[in-house]
């Protein structure tokens, strides 16, 4: 079994694992900062290292349409995009979910215009958060690699598309230690895709995909999609356990001596003391900065009386309501750190936390907005948020310096 650790660029790590997963069709249109992923995949094909069909598209809308068509014929399909590219795909993104096609896509998260900005935040994916896709967020390269493998298993098992979100540049263009499972290792967990009859286009067993639904049927079809998404929480958690038993993964343990309690189930990860007074909640690569900041505040209390915990949300859709409530139920102060904002309201993740906490949690929940357009998120910014966590505010609090 190959457990060799390598120092790889995030995009190359993702491209390598997609190659080893062996999809039948890949189609994408290059857009910063997703470009290196699809460039590497195209090079693997050109160099004879892969036998997937790599289809060059004239736009992101076309790329999404191509993988939709490929998946509809019953083959494993993959794409990647960012920012404006994801928005151009929006119509097809909704169709993929509505047609129950098991497509996996990487979104290298990037700010959206205007003004034009190519750097990272998470506002792009939030524009399609209600399209019917499972939305996963990775903190580091290893988590991104693992999530892509699990994404195909979950997607093909449930007939639901999965989008793996990685912070643009911060993850796509930086180098970290990572283990890339071999094709043989992956196959032990993720077998060849064999769709059931009636779930793909087949001349010997005719089926209709994406048919017209009248008011007499549309609502029930959408309800079924919603209920299947909610039910997928159990499958995601179960597959996370299976994955870690089948494929060894790199575990980052640099804070092990400081952090005295952890909870990691594939939907979320909690690090910190039981029943802390204050909890910081976030998604994606910013979690690494938060861990470093809190871990350097001895004796692992972040300077907070009663202790401070860190809650990382790995799965944003479907939203793991019950699992989150179990962790935050006794907190007095909750600081939600968003790299996106619902303009005119508050942070997107903060809005979700406030909604599920209403009538159940008595904590003060604050919405902090950081990192928009690639603004650096420093330890000093995290320390400022920790200090302000006990101050009540119903408005979004922007912390840029």
């Amino acid at each position: 079994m190959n457990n060799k650790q390598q120092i790889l660029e995030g995009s190359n790590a993702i491209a390598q694992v997609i190659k080893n997963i062996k999809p039948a069709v890949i189609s994408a249109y290059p857009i910063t900062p997703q470009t290196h992923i699809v460039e590497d995949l195209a090079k693997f094909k050109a160099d004879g290292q892969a036998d997937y069909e790599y289809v060059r598209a004239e736009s992101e809308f076309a790329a999404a349409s191509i993988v939709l068509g490929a998946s509809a014929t019953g083959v494993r399909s993959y794409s990647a995009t960012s920012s404006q590219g994801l928005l151009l795909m929006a119509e097809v993104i909704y169709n993929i979910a509505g047609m129950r096609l098991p497509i996996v896509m990487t979104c290298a998260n990037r700010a959206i215009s205007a003004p034009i900005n190519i750097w990272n935040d998470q506002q792009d994916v939030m524009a399609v958060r209600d399209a019917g896709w499972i939305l996963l967020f990775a903190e580091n390269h290893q988590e991104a690699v693992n999530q892509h493998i699990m994404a195909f298993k979950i997607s093909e098992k449930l007939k639901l598309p999965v989008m793996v979100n990685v912070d643009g540049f911060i993850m796509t263009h930086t180098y970290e230690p990572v283990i890339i499972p071999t094709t043989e290792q992956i196959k032990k967990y993720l077998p060849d895709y064999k769709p059931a009859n009636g779930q793909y286009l087949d001349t010997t067993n005719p089926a209709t995909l994406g048919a017209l639904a009248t008011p007499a049927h549309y609502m029930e079809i959408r309800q079924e999609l919603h209920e299947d998404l909610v039910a997928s929480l159990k499958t995601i958690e179960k597959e996370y356990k299976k994955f870690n038993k089948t494929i060894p993964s790199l575990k980052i343990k640099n804070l092990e001596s400081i952090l005295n309690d952890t909870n990691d189930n594939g939907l979320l990860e909690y690090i910190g003391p039981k029943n802390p007074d204050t909890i910081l909640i976030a998604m994606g690569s910013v979690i690494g900065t938060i861990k470093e900041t809190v871990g350097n505040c001895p004796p692992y209390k972040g300077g907070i009386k009663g202790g401070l915990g860190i809650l990382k949300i790995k799965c944003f859709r479907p939203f793991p309501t019950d699992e989150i409530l179990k962790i935050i139920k006794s907190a007095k102060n909750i600081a939600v750190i968003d790299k996106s904002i619902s303009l005119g309201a508050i942070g997107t993740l903060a809005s979700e936390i406030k909604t599920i906490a209403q009538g159940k949690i008595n904590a003060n929940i604050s919405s902090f907005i950081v990192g928009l357009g690639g603004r650096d998120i420093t330890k000093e910014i995290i320390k400022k948020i920790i200090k302000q966590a006990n101050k009540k505010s119903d408005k979004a609090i922007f912390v840029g310096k």
Side-chain angles (χ1 to χ4, degrees), residues 293-363:
T293 306
V294 173
N296 288 328
C297 296
Y300 181 58
K301 289 188 177 181
I304 297 290
K305 184 179 180 181
L308 189 152
I310 305 166
L311 178 58
K312 175 174 75 173
I313 306 300
K314 296 183 181 185
C315 178
F316 182 75
R317 280 289 183 273
F319 202 63
T321 299
D322 294 340
E323 290 79 4
I324 292 172
L325 288 175
K326 288 176 186 175
I327 291 171
I328 67 174
K329 61 184 178 182
S330 61
K332 295 179 181 177
N333 301 297
I334 298 171
V336 187
I337 302 173
D338 268 292
K339 294 175 78 172
S340 66
I341 182 167
S342 180
L343 294 169
I346 59 175
T348 319
L349 178 58
S351 178
E352 301 281 342
I353 297 296
K354 285 200 172 192
T355 298
I356 67 170
Q358 193 168 9
K360 298 178 182 178
I361 304 295
N362 294 321

Side-chain angles (χ1 to χ4, degrees), residues 47-282:
D47 291 346
Q49 298 179 36
D51 60 1
Y52 44 71
E53 190 71 26
Y54 189 96
V55 185
R56 291 181 293 176
E58 69 271 19
S59 70
E60 288 88 357
F61 181 90
S65 299
I66 289 165
V67 293
L68 180 154
S71 183
T73 67
V75 300
R76 185 173 285 167
S77 305
Y78 169 82
S79 188
T81 192
S82 292
S83 187
Q84 313 297 139
L86 180 63
L87 299 190
L88 187 57
M89 286 182 173
E91 178 184 346
V92 189
I93 293 296
Y94 274 81
N95 281 332
I96 287 170
M99 294 169 70
R100 303 300 296 265
L101 297 174
I103 291 170
V104 171
M105 182 163 67
T106 308
C107 182
N109 301 122
R110 166 189 149 183
I112 54 178
S113 303
I116 295 172
N117 182 290
I118 65 169
W119 292 274
N120 167 251
D121 59 37
Q122 295 169 348
Q123 294 183 101
D124 53 1
V125 65
M126 292 307 164
V128 296
R129 63 177 175 168
D130 299 322
W133 287 57
I134 293 172
L135 303 178
L136 304 179
F137 286 78
E139 175 191 348
N140 51 53
H141 293 10
Q142 190 65 54
E143 191 162 66
V145 164
N146 297 356
Q147 285 184 353
H148 277 86
I149 301 169
M150 288 184 284
F152 278 97
K153 181 73 172 291
I154 293 163
S155 181
E156 291 166 7
K157 191 173 185 178
L158 300 177
K159 304 299 180 288
L160 291 169
V162 181
M163 190 183 303
V164 180
N165 291 271
V166 296
D167 285 339
F169 288 111
I170 297 170
M171 288 181 62
T172 58
H173 287 60
T174 60
Y175 287 74
E176 288 183 3
V178 62
I179 294 171
I180 306 296
T182 64
T183 298
E184 292 72 24
Q185 287 175 309
I186 291 171
K187 205 163 185 178
K188 290 179 181 178
Y189 171 77
L190 177 66
D192 292 338
Y193 177 44
K194 295 180 180 178
N197 288 334
Q199 294 181 330
Y200 65 99
L201 300 175
D202 181 4
T203 55
T204 61
N205 184 31
T208 299
L209 300 181
L212 173 70
T214 65
H217 302 100
Y218 181 87
M219 186 167 177
E220 283 73 18
I221 295 171
R222 300 304 283 180
Q223 181 181 350
E224 182 181 34
L225 174 57
H226 164 73
E227 290 174 351
D228 286 351
L229 269 167
V230 173
S232 73
L233 288 166
K234 292 182 180 178
T235 300
I236 296 168
E237 188 171 357
K238 189 181 296 183
E239 288 301 328
Y240 181 75
K241 292 177 182 177
K242 284 184 181 178
F243 174 85
N244 284 299
K245 286 181 180 179
T246 309
I247 304 177
S249 60
L250 177 65
K251 298 293 183 181
I252 307 297
K253 297 182 178 180
N254 55 324
L255 297 180
E256 195 176 57
S257 62
I258 302 171
L259 309 182
N260 58 353
D261 191 30
T262 60
N263 179 6
D264 181 4
N265 64 5
L267 301 170
L268 48 79
E269 175 187 312
Y270 173 74
I271 300 174
K274 293 181 179 178
N275 304 318
D277 277 3
T278 301
I279 294 179
L280 306 180
I281 305 179

